[in-house]
Amino acid sequence: MLQNDGFRALDRGTCLRLLAGVPVGRVVYTKQALPAVLPVNFCLAADSSVLLRTSAVSDLVRAIDGAVVAFEADEFDAATRSGWSVVVTGRAMLLPDPDGQELLDGPDSWMPVRDDVLVRIDSEVVTGRELTGA
């Protein structure tokens, strides 16, 4: 690689700040032993975990509850050839919500959902890269 190839690794704090500024990312998981990717809207919780809302009976919930998944979000500008990408890797789990408070604190789903639940993805590993314009 060139000494100044335009890529810069981002620290955890910067990664989380960037994630907090975008509404949509992608969950990367295994479905029937094959890789699958699903775009979702999300928010960051106070503990830096990723929260998303979906239906309790969705294929996504069945595939990721208790599994280690990746979550990726990014933002790019084609005109300046610049942008960033952040990946969060961690265990996904349904949040128990006996009093309904967690559901109030989570993101609203952009899709209509029935019997909605929150899924939390722990931010065990957070990595990011920034591409500066060429």
Side-chain angles (χ1 to χ4, degrees):
M1 284 213 289
L2 300 173
Q3 187 172 6
N4 182 5
D5 61 5
F7 281 104
R8 178 175 71 98
L10 301 173
D11 62 51
R12 181 182 176 93
T14 301
C15 288
L16 294 173
R17 181 182 53 77
L18 290 168
L19 277 180
V22 295
V24 176
R26 287 159 290 287
V27 178
V28 182
Y29 62 102
T30 302
K31 182 178 180 181
Q32 298 176 345
L34 296 171
V37 180
L38 183 68
V40 295
N41 65 294
F42 74 100
C43 71
L44 284 182
D47 67 356
S48 301
S49 60
V50 174
L51 296 178
L52 56 103
R53 183 184 306 271
T54 190
S55 170
V57 296
S58 70
D59 289 341
L60 178 65
V61 166
R62 286 191 296 276
I64 69 173
D65 188 24
V68 173
V69 301
F71 180 84
E72 188 269 345
D74 54 46
E75 192 168 73
F76 290 97
D77 182 335
T80 62
R81 296 183 179 188
S82 62
W84 57 266
S85 175
V86 171
V87 176
V88 172
T89 305
R91 188 162 308 276
M93 63 196 72
L94 290 178
L95 287 180
D97 191 24
D99 63 2
Q101 185 58 43
E102 289 288 348
L103 282 175
L104 293 175
D105 294 341
D108 289 328
S109 177
W110 289 8
M111 297 290 295
V113 295
R114 290 182 23 192
D115 301 322
D116 55 333
V117 295
L118 283 181
V119 174
R120 181 179 76 212
I121 302 170
D122 290 333
S123 58
E124 296 171 27
V125 178
V126 178
T127 59
R129 291 179 15 152
E130 179 181 47
L131 173 63
T132 56

